[in-house]
Amino acid sequence: MLRFEGLYPHQLGGYEAHRLRKGGDLSHVDRSRTKLNGPPLIGPEDWAARALAEIREMAAENFAAEVASLEKRNRKKDIERRFVEGPKQPWRPTRHGPMREVILTVNKDWFDADLAEFFGEAENQREKEFGALAKQWLIENFGDDVIHARADRDEAAFHIHAVIMPRATVEIAKPKARVPTATATRRMLQPSIHPFIENYEAAQDSVGEWFACLGLVRGERRAAAIKKARENGETPPKRRYHAKTWKWRAEQELRVQDRAEALEADKIALDERTARVAERENEAETVLAVAEGVASGAFVASEGGEEPGLVEAPAATPAETPLEDLRRRSPTGFARAAGVFGRAWGRLFGQAQAKAEAEADSRVASAMEQIEQADAKVAEAALHLPAKTRALIAEIRQTIPAILRRLERSGNGLPAASSKGQSQRDDPGEEGKFQ
């Protein structure tokens, strides 16, 4: 409900630019609702310029008072040094800055549950009541040090921004002297003058009581729980730190970006898996189509070439899908099917050819044996014939070995011998002559 943020004077320019929606991170702002923000609840429109002018005036007054004090004590060297240094910032060094930004809000759902629109009222009554109470609480506890307050209605939830400039007049003790002297005073910015800035839990209690009339309750007393746990020697709960709005928004953007990148990676992986499944489906369908074409006789093995393949049978019934379409649809599936069926045909043709050659060799050998047996019987019968007849038969028998060799070579698939070599091999020698 309540949050304090440290603020330095030099940050007021950026604060004002964001208030006027002219700079800073505006990604979370609904620009169509910016006009509903209205004028400041506390302070004039030029509050930031006035605050900076007042701070410069405080620094100048403090510098003049310090130089005057040094002149009274005739500290010439110190005067020279201070003129070189110039006016100092009117606050002590601090980690959070000398000013405070106050943010007052509650959960968005509480404001959205307002029923004003059902009764014809243009303004959200919960926002109106919350803004009025917030303004009263700020003035009640910080008085004139509240130099600015406004209501933002163009972000996710209605909230109040305020800026506290904690003015204080402090006494500066003079260096020790023989004669006691009065202390000097300086105008400073000192956050600790406001109890609620110094005690955050007390501020939360005050806000809880102040807004109780709206049905709102104080948040978890985490600081008290931490203190009690430490006193009892127990492990205290983790302290809750309020992240700066810009930092929280940057973290949210990083989470969104990481999530988007993860979703994109998942989408890419899904697309890749889908592509692989589609490729495998095309491959399977192509293999089946090739098998159906082979079974129907539309595709036959190609002749020649080192790799087995398929071609369309010219005289067969055309296949449902041409080979070229199957090859384009899935080159891998087509190559696999063509290779399988081509190799299968190759083995079948090889076996058939070997069987045919074996049968041919067997028939040639049988015929040769029968011819040789007949030749032997002719030679035996010629012994009983007249000499002239035996000479004629012997001349005829001289040509039989050459004929047999030609038949044998033809049966074995060998080319015919040359005429010269043939005449030499056809000479029967002594075997072809009758005794």
Side-chain angles (χ1 to χ4, degrees):
M1 183 180 291
L2 168 69
R3 186 165 77 246
F4 287 113
E5 292 285 349
L7 194 64
Y8 283 92
H10 70 267
Q11 295 175 315
L12 294 183
Y15 183 95
E16 268 296 84
H18 183 71
R19 178 181 78 89
L20 300 173
R21 305 308 189 225
K22 294 181 179 180
D25 181 13
L26 302 178
S27 59
H28 60 292
V29 174
D30 183 357
R31 302 304 293 270
S32 65
R33 292 179 54 84
T34 298
K35 60 184 179 182
L36 301 177
N37 291 343
L41 300 176
I42 299 175
E45 284 286 348
D46 60 345
W47 66 273
R50 293 190 181 193
L52 293 175
E54 183 178 349
I55 293 171
R56 288 193 296 269
E57 182 181 348
M58 293 169 63
E61 289 180 0
N62 292 342
F63 181 70
E66 185 179 359
V67 171
S69 175
L70 292 173
E71 287 177 345
K72 287 181 181 180
R73 289 180 286 141
N74 199 24
R75 305 291 293 270
K76 295 181 179 180
K77 290 185 178 179
D78 290 336
I79 293 173
E80 293 177 358
R81 174 179 56 81
R82 288 299 291 119
F83 271 113
V84 172
E85 294 174 348
K88 293 182 179 180
Q89 297 172 334
W91 66 82
R92 293 185 176 89
T94 172
R95 179 165 60 93
H96 299 289
M99 305 174 71
R100 290 294 183 272
E101 176 188 8
V102 183
I103 300 176
L104 290 164
T105 188
V106 294
N107 190 279
K108 176 179 181 296
D109 295 338
W110 184 79
F111 291 111
D112 292 343
D114 184 73
L115 301 178
E117 61 177 334
F118 293 101
F119 296 98
E121 298 180 5
E123 186 176 3
N124 186 306
Q125 293 303 303
R126 288 192 173 185
E127 292 180 359
K128 182 179 180 180
E129 293 174 358
F130 185 89
L133 284 175
K135 179 179 178 179
Q136 294 172 10
W137 183 83
L138 289 167
I139 295 174
E140 178 76 17
N141 293 282
F142 300 100
D144 292 339
D145 285 348
V146 185
I147 61 175
H148 167 73
R150 75 175 193 272
D152 280 353
R153 294 180 173 86
D154 57 356
E155 298 184 23
F158 175 87
H159 56 278
I160 302 295
H161 282 278
V163 175
I164 309 299
M165 191 167 79
R167 306 174 180 92
T169 300
V170 299
E171 293 184 348
I172 306 297
K174 292 182 179 180
K176 292 182 179 181
R178 295 179 182 179
V179 181
T181 57
T183 58
T185 59
R186 300 285 185 271
R187 293 176 61 194
M188 303 288 287
L189 297 181
Q190 187 173 324
S192 60
I193 65 171
H194 293 292
F196 288 164
I197 294 180
E198 190 173 20
N199 189 335
Y200 184 69
E201 286 297 312
Q204 292 283 7
D205 291 338
S206 174
V207 169
E209 295 174 2
W210 194 270
F211 288 91
C213 61
L214 297 181
L216 300 173
V217 296
R218 187 195 189 283
E220 181 183 0
R221 298 178 181 273
R222 186 170 293 268
I226 293 174
K227 181 179 179 181
K228 184 177 179 180
R230 287 174 176 171
E231 291 175 351
N232 297 334
E234 301 173 353
T235 302
K238 292 183 179 180
R239 186 178 296 276
R240 180 178 296 172
Y241 294 96
H242 293 287
K244 292 184 180 295
T245 305
W246 65 267
K247 186 176 181 181
W248 176 86
R249 201 168 294 119
E251 292 174 352
Q252 295 303 311
E253 289 178 355
L254 287 176
R255 290 194 184 97
V256 171
Q257 182 178 355
D258 292 342
R259 180 59 179 163
E261 291 177 354
L263 291 175
E264 183 64 22
D266 292 343
K267 181 179 181 300
I268 293 174
L270 178 60
D271 292 343
E272 291 177 351
R273 289 195 295 270
T274 303
R276 288 196 294 269
V277 170
E279 182 180 354
R280 290 173 182 173
E281 289 179 350
N282 289 335
E283 183 176 336
E285 292 175 359
T286 300
V287 172
L288 290 176
V290 170
E292 292 174 356
V294 171
S296 65
F299 304 146
V300 296
S302 60
E303 297 180 359
E306 298 180 357
E307 294 293 332
L310 298 175
V311 295
E312 294 177 346
T317 303
E320 184 177 348
T321 306
L323 280 177
E324 286 302 319
D325 292 345
L326 294 176
R327 184 182 286 109
R328 282 193 297 269
R329 184 168 68 181
S330 177
T332 304
F334 180 83
R336 181 177 297 179
V340 169
F341 288 112
R343 287 191 293 271
W345 260 311
R347 286 194 293 270
L348 291 174
F349 291 159
Q351 293 172 1
Q353 185 176 2
K355 183 178 180 181
E357 291 177 352
E359 292 177 352
D361 291 345
S362 177
R363 289 195 298 270
V364 170
S366 177
M368 293 287 290
E369 183 179 357
Q370 293 176 7
I371 292 173
E372 289 178 356
Q373 291 176 358
D375 180 58
K377 290 180 179 180
V378 170
E380 182 181 355
L383 295 175
H384 304 284
L385 296 175
K388 186 177 180 179
T389 304
R390 288 201 305 271
L392 179 61
I393 292 174
E395 184 178 354
I396 294 172
R397 286 184 64 236
Q398 289 178 0
T399 63
I400 291 177
I403 295 173
L404 293 177
R405 289 190 183 92
R406 284 196 296 272
L407 289 174
E408 184 177 8
R409 291 179 66 84
S410 177
N412 293 332
L414 298 175
S418 62
S419 59
K420 182 179 180 181
Q422 184 69 41
S423 63
Q424 294 175 351
R425 287 192 296 271
D426 289 350
D427 184 6
E430 297 297 328
E431 292 182 3
K433 294 181 180 180
F434 289 104
Q435 302 296 329

